[in-house]
């Protein structure tokens, strides 16, 4: 049972990467979009460009993992190909974990490229590597689970894109990338606390600056909780399709 | 030999559209499929064929009833069942983005075919389904018949002892359909048990060891082709082809208590009208006659072209 699940998960992720993620337009959009966004911001607010790096990483990861992830499942449901996976000898949770893994692998690859560029430009400084890797992994899991949930919750591909953007764009502005949490109104700060991106940015900032506090552990825990809850919700929603 | 599929009181109701009563897609069907046979599930559009296949393959949960497949309980051991069955759904559904070869390999990966066997098996299946030339062509660019053949190949990739085929030849041209039927007949020779849904009477008659006739979610008859035909009340008849002095030809049907009596009636009429009997023939009942007799439906409902892939 476990062996079937693990094997299925691995090959589903691999297949998704080959069939969808590693297509040229997807790769360039994954990298270009966050860069363009941050650049636009930096031009209007020249100053410490380096401070924007954690936000840039978090954005790249968010868009890299969730853009394709949010449409793969609904797309395959439309074409009927999802049925092939539902017929295969593996549990629903393993099927979805495979989808999740594909999104994470792609998002992390693109983010690693962006990280390399940022480090080359600004120097390595006092990066806390174990923390950085953990923060990237947990953020990728949370964002990918968000994408998976969006994908099983809708019926049409365009609905998935709309819903994903409806969730992601407010996150970009309230996630502490461009506006620090401290300077938000209390009401907005409450909203910010409900968004996974906020915790990803915080954790990545701590890792990049090498300043680890007890708040960082909380950030990581919250990211893990987001991943688990969203994944569980996605599995339950997919199970309802089989009624 | 235990039956490969045993179904008891299997039922599926779908909630009706707003205000309408629930749809009884499948309504308490019972049957058993024997090891090694081609079992036909024959019925008109909307009879519940696909719904039955979807229940038996774990894609949808029965409202009531139970099934054992290859000795495993559908309700509790569905993963064991999934490992051992191949399924060709109504619509060919491989991955558009992957080549014919990669699609086969991915199927094998999902079912745990060992790495060292995958390539050879994929090449073998491509050759068998005459798709070797299309090895590296994306699924999206294959013709409808090729897509169908590759979908069957993918279902066979892990060598399942039981294969579900949901209308494998619907929408194919005559040649492709014939070639696919030949392949189904080959599978039977290899000992694969086949559960085949179709609405083509002659396909069912040609391929199936036994046939269940399903109409509106219920099985109205289940027997061998000959057994089904034997249910028609014996009405001995002959068809006589008569020619008049001007060479005009007419075919007439004569019935009687025996073939002899019917023949005499034909000869008598020919003599009385000064026509000549040029051919006499005793028609055997077709599955179509049986279908019309048992269901009260016109056979046309079975022939309606659905234009599916
Ligand atoms: N998901 C669904 N929701 C509601 N009703 C459904 C659903 N699937 C099938 N039905 C209904 O169940 C009945 C049986 O459908 P099914 O697809 O099993 O027929 P079929 O014998 O396969 O027909 P066809 O020859 O057209 O493929 C039909 O009345 C159909 O409308
Ligand atoms: Mg059908």
């Amino acid at each position: 049972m476990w062996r079937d699940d693990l094997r299925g998960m691995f090959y589903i992720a691999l297949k998704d990467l080959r069939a969808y993620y590693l297509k040229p337009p997807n790769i360039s959009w994954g990298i270009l979009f966050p860069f363009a966004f941050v650049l636009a911001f930096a031009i209007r607010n020249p100053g410490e460009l380096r401070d924007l790096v954690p936000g840039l990483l978090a954005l790249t990861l968010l868009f890299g993992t969730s853009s394709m992830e949010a449409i793969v499942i609904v797309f395959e449901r439309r074409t009927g190909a999802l049925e092939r996976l539902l017929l295969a000898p593996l549990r629903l949770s393993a099927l979805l974990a495979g989808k999740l893994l594909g999104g994470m692998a792609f998002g992390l690859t693109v983010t690693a490229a962006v990280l390399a560029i940022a480090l080359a430009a600004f120097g390595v400084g006092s990066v806390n590597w174990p923390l950085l890797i953990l923060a990237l992994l947990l953020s990728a899991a949370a964002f990918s689970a968000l994408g998976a949930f969006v994908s099983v919750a809708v019926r049409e591909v365009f609905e998935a894109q709309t819903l994903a953007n409806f969730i992601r764009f407010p996150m970009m502005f309230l996630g502490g990338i461009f506006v620090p949490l401290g300077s938000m109104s209390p009401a907005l700060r409450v909203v910010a606390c409900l968004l996974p991106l906020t915790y990803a940015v915080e954790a990545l900032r701590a890792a990049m600056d090498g300043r680890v506090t007890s708040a960082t552990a909380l950030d990581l825990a919250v990211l893990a909780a987001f991943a688990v809850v969203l994944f569980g919700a996605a599995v339950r929603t997919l199970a309802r399709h089989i009624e | 030999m235990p039956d490969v599929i045993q179904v008891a009181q299997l039922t599926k109701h779908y909630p009706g559209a707003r205000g309408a009563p629930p749809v009884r897609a499948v309504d308490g069907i019972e049957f058993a499929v024997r090891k090694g046979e081609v079992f036909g599930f024959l019925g008109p559009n909307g009879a519940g064929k696909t719904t039955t296949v979807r229940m038996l393959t774990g894609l949808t949960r029965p409202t009531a009833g139970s099934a054992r497949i290859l000795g495993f309980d559908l309700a509790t051991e569905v993963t064991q069942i999934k490992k051992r069955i191949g399924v060709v759904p109504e619509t060919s559904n491989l991955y558009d983005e992957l080549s014919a070869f990669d699609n086969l390999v991915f199927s094998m990966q999902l079912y745990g075919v060992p790495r060292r066997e995958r390539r050879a098996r994929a090449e073998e299946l491509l050759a068998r389904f005459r798709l070797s030339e299309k090895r590296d062509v994306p699924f999206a660019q294959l013709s409808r018949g090729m897509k169908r053949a590759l979908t069957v190949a993918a279902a066979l990739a892990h060598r399942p002892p039981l294969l579900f085929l949901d209308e494998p030849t619907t929408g194919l041209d005559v040649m492709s359909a014939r070639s696919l039927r030949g392949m189904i007949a080959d599978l039977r020779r290899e000992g694969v048990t086949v559960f085949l849904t179709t609405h083509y009477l002659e396909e069912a008659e040609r391929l199936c060891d036994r046939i269940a006739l399903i109409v509106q979610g219920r099985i109205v008859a289940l027997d061998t082709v000959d057994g089904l035909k034997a249910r028609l009340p014996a009405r001995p008849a002959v068809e006589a082809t008569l020619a008049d002095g001007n060479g005009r030809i007419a075919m007439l049907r004569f019935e009687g208590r025996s073939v002899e009596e019917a023949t005499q009636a034909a000869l008598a009429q020919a003599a009385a009208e000064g026509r000549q009997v040029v051919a006499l023939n005793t028609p055997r009942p077709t599955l179509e006659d049986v279908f019309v007799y048992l269901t009260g439906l016109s056979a046309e409902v079975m022939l309606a072209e659905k234009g599916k892939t």
Side-chain angles (χ1 to χ4, degrees):
Chain A
M1 191 84 152
W2 273 103
R3 275 191 44 200
D4 291 327
D5 283 344
L6 285 176
R7 187 185 57 228
M9 198 171 111
F10 173 73
Y11 285 118
I12 287 172
L14 208 63
K15 190 273 298 168
D16 278 1
L17 285 170
R18 285 182 54 195
Y20 311 124
Y21 289 96
L22 299 178
K23 295 278 155 88
N26 189 47
I27 295 177
S28 46
W29 271 109
I31 296 185
L32 277 184
F33 185 77
F35 260 109
F37 211 84
V38 170
L39 205 67
F41 181 81
I43 289 169
R44 293 208 52 192
N45 311 273
E48 264 306 305
L49 215 50
R50 195 181 199 289
D51 286 349
L52 282 176
V53 171
L56 173 62
L57 291 180
L59 270 191
T60 310
L61 200 52
L62 173 64
F63 279 83
T65 49
S66 64
S67 296
M68 189 57 87
E69 170 87 59
I71 55 177
V72 279
I73 299 172
V74 65
F75 173 75
E76 289 188 353
R77 222 169 117 210
R78 282 272 133 203
T79 64
L82 185 65
E83 246 174 40
R84 304 195 70 77
L85 305 180
L86 295 172
L87 284 168
L90 74 165
R91 278 176 284 194
L92 277 187
S93 49
L95 190 170
L96 268 178
K99 295 280 170 200
L100 208 72
L101 214 59
M104 286 177 68
F106 180 76
L108 285 167
T109 309
V110 176
T111 308
V114 173
L115 177 65
I117 296 171
L119 291 180
F122 302 114
V124 174
S126 47
V127 171
N128 181 334
W129 284 101
L131 178 61
L132 181 62
I133 290 170
L134 196 62
L136 285 173
L137 279 175
L138 289 175
S139 305
F143 297 154
S144 196
L146 176 67
F149 177 69
V150 166
S151 206
V152 294
V154 298
R155 300 198 148 268
E156 307 282 347
V157 172
F158 78 89
E159 289 174 345
Q161 281 160 337
T162 311
L163 180 58
N165 287 334
F166 183 77
I167 297 173
R168 283 184 306 200
F169 280 90
M171 281 215 278
M172 287 172 54
F173 298 103
L174 298 175
I177 297 177
F178 305 114
V179 184
L181 285 188
S183 57
M184 288 181 188
S185 72
L188 284 184
R189 216 177 306 163
V190 171
V191 178
C193 287
L194 299 173
L195 306 174
L197 187 67
T198 310
Y199 301 92
V201 173
E202 289 283 303
L204 289 170
R205 185 160 282 147
M208 294 296 287
D209 298 347
R211 277 187 292 103
V212 183
T213 66
S214 58
T216 314
L218 182 68
D219 291 333
L220 296 180
V222 173
L223 285 171
F226 265 113
V228 170
V229 170
L230 287 167
F231 180 70
V235 173
R236 243 175 298 128
T237 310
L238 185 61
R240 273 212 304 264
H241 296 325
I242 308 187
E243 280 312 304
Chain B
M1 192 63 73
D3 293 323
V4 169
I5 304 178
Q6 286 169 289
V7 168
Q9 284 302 318
L10 199 65
T11 301
K12 181 75 187 185
H13 293 177
Y14 288 111
R18 212 162 310 203
V23 179
R24 298 165 163 230
V26 173
D27 207 4
I29 56 173
E30 306 221 334
F31 61 87
V33 176
R34 298 175 192 149
K35 192 168 189 301
E37 74 177 339
V38 175
F39 185 88
F41 215 56
L42 176 71
N45 291 167
K49 304 181 295 292
T50 299
T51 304
T52 303
V53 171
R54 290 177 63 82
M55 284 193 281
L56 295 181
T57 56
L59 283 179
T60 189
R61 235 186 295 281
T63 310
S66 63
R68 289 192 80 77
I69 297 177
L70 296 161
F72 296 100
D73 182 6
L74 179 64
T76 57
E77 300 169 298
V78 71
T79 310
Q80 294 298 327
I81 295 172
K82 285 177 175 176
K83 268 190 203 187
R84 294 166 176 82
I85 60 174
V87 183
V88 175
E90 207 164 26
T91 318
S92 302
N93 66 347
L94 296 184
Y95 291 93
D96 277 343
E97 300 78 8
L98 299 183
S99 69
F101 181 81
D102 288 344
N103 263 304
L104 293 177
V105 169
F106 177 59
S107 280
M108 285 186 255
Q109 289 169 333
L110 281 182
Y111 286 85
V113 175
R115 177 189 297 271
R116 58 184 180 284
E117 291 172 26
R118 284 179 216 145
R119 298 186 70 85
R121 175 81 176 141
E123 304 286 6
E124 172 198 327
L125 285 165
L126 287 174
R128 173 169 184 178
F129 286 85
R130 296 193 206 101
L131 290 166
S132 294
E133 266 174 45
K134 303 288 175 184
R135 181 187 191 278
D136 300 314
V137 175
F139 183 69
Q141 292 170 23
L142 297 179
S143 77
R144 195 192 287 205
M146 292 172 187
K147 284 184 176 176
R148 211 69 192 125
L150 192 67
T151 309
V152 177
L156 290 171
H158 57 291
R159 300 180 196 276
L162 171 60
L163 184 67
F164 289 88
L165 295 168
D166 195 357
E167 301 204 14
T169 59
T170 298
L172 298 192
D173 66 32
V174 178
M175 285 305 290
S176 313
R178 177 182 299 176
S179 124
L180 200 54
R181 285 180 194 136
M183 286 159 191
I184 296 167
D186 290 344
L187 289 175
R188 180 181 179 283
R189 245 165 274 139
E190 290 163 26
V192 177
T193 308
V194 178
F195 184 96
L196 170 86
T197 85
T198 182
H199 66 277
Y200 291 128
L201 293 153
E202 105 320 314
E203 173 170 294
E205 178 158 7
R206 191 114 52 87
L207 285 175
C208 299
D209 295 289
R210 291 190 307 142
I211 294 171
L213 269 181
I214 177 167
V215 179
Q216 291 185 353
R218 293 170 189 237
I219 292 180
V220 296
L222 194 177
D223 211 329
T224 59
V225 174
D226 289 339
L228 286 173
K229 287 180 178 172
R231 297 189 188 200
L232 279 176
R235 288 271 257 357
V238 295
E239 275 171 6
T241 311
L242 305 180
D244 65 14
N246 302 323
R248 269 198 299 268
I249 300 273
M251 183 135 77
L252 295 172
R253 183 182 167 95
F254 296 88
E255 292 179 357
R257 280 182 305 241
S258 66
V259 172
E260 196 180 338
E261 198 181 288
T263 310
Q264 273 158 6
L267 293 173
Q269 181 162 345
E273 295 174 0
R275 293 202 275 184
Q276 211 185 351
V277 179
V278 291
L280 263 183
N281 132 49
T282 48
R284 288 156 44 80
T286 62
L287 203 53
E288 189 174 318
D289 300 327
V290 180
F291 178 81
V292 171
Y293 173 71
L294 288 175
T295 64
L297 295 171
S298 137
E300 261 79 74
V301 300
M302 301 291 284
L303 303 173
E305 185 48 64
K306 297 191 294 179
K308 291 178 190 159
T309 47

